[in-house]
Amino acid sequence: TSIGREAFYRCDCLKAFNGKYATPDGRALIIDETLCYIAPSGLTDYTIPSDVKTLGSLSFAYCTELVTVKIPSSVTSIGSEAFYACTSIECVTLSESVVSLGALSFAECDHLSEVYVQQSTPPTGGNDMFDGNAADRKIYVPIGSGSTYKMANGWKEYSTSIEEYDFNPVPDVVIKEATVAEFIAAEVGDATIYELTGVIQNIQNVEYGNFDLVDATGSVYIYGLTDESGKKVFEALGLKAGDTVTLRG
């Protein structure tokens, strides 16, 4: 009727579980939304099921062949020694949903060099969470939260390893010269800024700058011409039919 905390501890040759609480792939036992145990033999890459909320104590401990583990946003708590001595893991990402990490949760993961923590408020941290990691291990936290992490219990002992990281960077703007035909063929939602050169024809509105832009490959209707600030400029520029212009947009 119950399974003890260390029931499968150091069962290094265990390949699969069967029964009511086993995952479809047989790799884990999940009880009441807690991943309690993992079958470690030969496991190098694992995606934790999305219905798991807690990683139990020692759940992945000594899973020495595990290189990559994907922790879903459903997980809110990581138990003590959950990944203890997972000596092949190199990088871990903890989503904004994680609010607590137990003592020694990633300790003795001696190849772990990158930890990405997306939560702006430091999760409750146990003792020695990242002891015994790679010598150059970095802990990346959201922009503006570095000082808070460096003062938080469980985290402050790693203050020299904590660096701020932009988890939502603005993508680089790509400007591409193109023909009208290439522009028309581009995918909807493409973030590229296109630079088109063509001749103004069929002006419909001089205030806003509504006209056809024509080149050797085709014609595209320009619905309003503005500068970078959004100011209407067609009439001010004195443009007329037959002028050759280069537009970006």
Side-chain angles (χ1 to χ4, degrees), residues 16-33:
F17 294 102
N18 293 300
K20 178 179 179 181
Y21 298 109
T23 54
D25 62 2
R27 277 295 183 179
L29 286 182
I30 298 173
I31 302 173
D32 296 332
E33 300 180 322

Side-chain angles (χ1 to χ4, degrees), residues 101-223:
L101 281 80
L104 300 164
S105 46
F106 290 93
E108 304 308 321
C109 297
D110 58 8
H111 280 74
L112 182 58
S113 60
E114 295 181 336
V115 179
Y116 294 87
V117 188
Q118 297 178 346
Q119 173 64 269
S120 295
T121 301
T124 302
N127 295 330
D128 307 324
M129 297 181 294
F130 301 105
D131 278 19
N133 292 170
D136 60 348
R137 182 256 295 113
K138 296 294 184 183
I139 299 172
Y140 297 102
V141 301
I143 297 292
S145 65
S147 59
T148 305
Y149 271 85
K150 290 178 181 181
M151 294 187 292
N153 290 335
W155 299 92
K156 58 186 176 183
E157 61 188 283
Y158 307 109
S159 60
T160 58
S161 297
I162 292 173
E163 295 185 5
E164 295 188 359
Y165 180 85
D166 188 357
F167 287 98
N168 299 291
V170 177
D172 293 334
V173 175
V174 177
I175 299 175
K176 178 182 178 181
E177 293 184 7
T179 65
V180 168
E182 289 170 336
F183 173 74
I184 292 173
E187 293 184 11
V188 175
D190 182 355
T192 302
I193 294 178
Y194 288 90
E195 185 174 273
L196 307 180
T197 298
V199 177
I200 296 174
Q201 293 186 7
N202 303 320
I203 298 171
Q204 302 295 313
N205 186 300
V206 294
E207 180 183 358
Y208 290 95
N210 301 342
F211 58 91
D212 291 328
L213 183 71
V214 180
D215 70 4
T217 68
S219 173
V220 62
Y221 187 67
I222 305 299
Y223 191 77

